[in-house]
Amino acid sequence: MLQQTVVAAVVPYFERFLARFPTVAALADAPEEDVLRLWEGLGYYRRARQMHRAAGVICDEHAGQFPRNAEAVRALPGIGRYTAGAILSIAYDQPQPILEANTIRLLARLTAFAGDTHSSAGQRILWETAERLLPRRDVGRFNQALMELGSQVCTPRAPRCDVCPLAALCPTRRWQLADRIPAARPRPQVEMVREAAVVVRRGEKVLIVRRRPGERWAGLWDFPRFPLTPADEIPAERQLIAGVSKCVGVKIKPGALLTTIRHSVTRFRISLECYNAVYAGETGRAAGKPESRWVHAAELADFPLSTSARKLARLLAKS
């Protein structure tokens, strides 16, 4: 949960997750939908699916006990070198290094490494540095101290060198290069995207579809969703009819715009136009159609949804 997510955001999810899945066996036996529902809002949903798969591997191949061998740990779904090192050092006091955002910055400054910290060469240098620094015991405490030092003292901007216990050893401080080390990475160019989400109604029920593997939010449920082109090129009504037909094989009669939800996914800034529509039959194009269900609006609370779909679901529940 802490991968690419701050502690404050993780704590309530962690507590709910352990209450629902108190053992690795409970997690392994749970339906993926239950896992995703409890993860909803944390983002990077691949982490949840991989952890669910890892629980199954631990139960099937390691008798329900978390492995202590570094190679076996890194073979688990979703666990790379950093996560393996963090687990093995903190839980079992094994001499395993870690390298994440805060320690990358800290070690780059301690070695005055001005190159690209994310390049193959940069990663090799920093991993070797992290390994050389490991103490003989209390490795977990040491690794956590490095992360805390990077997070609280050796900050990206205006590092607190006056209170740093390593200040006397730091060439970056001595040469006043903290604004240049580590080297800044170029920011990805932001791309504006326009999409539609369509609430297709049939009587008192609405249509939802399950996102397929390889798609954004794979495994989660959503309303039929697809890109929109500028309205002056193709009228919005035609796009909605064609989009729902292609997405889920259903004919619709488009209705009014319900709301517009603006959100971000990585470098994309998405303007999601949410429309009402009425079911008008099947198109007969069933090949490759995703899993779909007709549900009452109140039932949407039981399904794992993307953050934007959840906002739309709450709007429907109120109305």
Side-chain angles (χ1 to χ4, degrees):
M1 287 183 172
L2 287 170
Q3 292 173 353
Q4 298 178 286
T5 308
V6 297
V7 173
V10 163
V11 170
Y13 284 90
F14 175 76
E15 292 173 344
R16 288 193 296 267
F17 210 85
L18 283 193
R20 172 65 178 82
F21 310 118
T23 66
V24 68
L27 177 58
D29 292 340
E32 184 182 273
E33 273 198 1
D34 290 0
V35 178
L36 291 173
R37 181 67 183 90
L38 280 174
W39 197 277
E40 186 181 304
L42 266 182
Y44 301 101
Y45 292 93
R46 181 174 60 180
R47 297 178 298 172
R49 293 192 298 273
Q50 288 174 330
M51 185 163 62
H52 187 220
R53 288 172 49 213
V57 173
I58 291 169
C59 289
D60 294 342
E61 301 180 13
H62 300 283
Q65 298 296 314
F66 197 91
R68 299 195 180 197
N69 174 273
E71 187 175 327
V73 172
R74 291 186 64 181
L76 294 172
I79 295 187
R81 187 175 181 182
Y82 156 60
T83 305
I87 293 171
L88 291 173
S89 65
I90 294 169
Y92 303 125
D93 200 33
Q94 290 190 16
Q96 297 289 336
I98 60 169
L99 200 64
E100 45 76 60
N102 292 308
T103 52
I104 285 174
R105 181 172 58 256
L106 176 68
L107 296 178
R109 285 174 174 165
L110 282 175
T111 57
F113 178 72
D116 182 356
T117 57
H118 295 272
S119 66
S120 297
Q123 286 284 296
R124 185 180 66 254
I125 290 169
L126 294 174
W127 274 112
E128 289 173 353
T129 302
E131 195 161 19
R132 286 199 306 272
L133 291 176
L134 292 177
R136 297 191 179 195
R137 61 179 183 273
D138 292 333
V139 181
R141 292 182 65 194
F142 177 79
N143 279 340
Q144 290 180 86
L146 286 183
M147 290 189 284
E148 196 76 358
L149 188 61
S151 169
Q152 302 299 316
V153 177
C154 195
T155 51
R157 295 178 183 82
R160 301 168 59 202
C161 299
D162 56 321
V163 297
C164 180
L166 302 179
L169 305 175
C170 183
T172 298
R173 174 180 182 268
R174 185 161 59 251
W175 299 329
Q176 298 183 342
L177 296 174
D179 59 336
R180 302 183 197 175
I181 297 177
R185 300 188 75 190
R187 292 186 178 183
Q189 187 173 358
V190 173
E191 187 173 337
M192 308 303 293
V193 176
R194 182 171 170 245
E195 294 182 344
V198 183
V199 179
V200 183
R201 301 177 185 269
R202 187 172 69 178
E204 296 183 354
K205 294 186 176 182
V206 297
L207 180 64
I208 56 174
V209 297
R210 193 170 191 176
R211 308 285 289 193
R212 290 175 288 193
E215 293 183 330
R216 190 196 310 161
W217 306 310
L220 275 67
W221 291 83
D222 199 359
F223 299 93
R225 180 192 301 243
F226 43 86
L228 289 174
T229 58
D232 57 356
E233 295 180 14
I234 304 175
E237 183 172 313
R238 282 179 54 193
Q239 292 190 60
L240 297 179
I241 293 171
V244 173
S245 175
K246 182 179 180 181
C247 177
V248 74
V250 164
K251 296 178 182 178
I252 62 165
K253 181 179 179 182
L257 177 69
L258 283 167
T259 188
T260 298
I261 299 171
R262 291 177 173 82
H263 64 112
S264 300
V265 178
T266 60
R267 63 184 177 86
F268 299 101
R269 303 295 177 265
I270 301 171
S271 179
L272 180 67
E273 299 176 15
C274 307
Y275 289 88
N276 255 324
V278 177
Y279 173 78
E282 303 290 323
T283 64
R285 301 174 185 172
K289 190 171 72 170
E291 182 183 355
S292 62
R293 294 186 192 178
W294 292 96
V295 300
H296 290 280
E299 295 178 277
L300 291 170
D302 299 327
F303 290 84
L305 304 176
S306 67
T307 301
S308 55
R310 179 62 62 197
K311 289 180 181 178
L312 183 52
R314 291 195 186 106
L315 179 64
L316 297 181
K318 288 180 182 178
S319 62

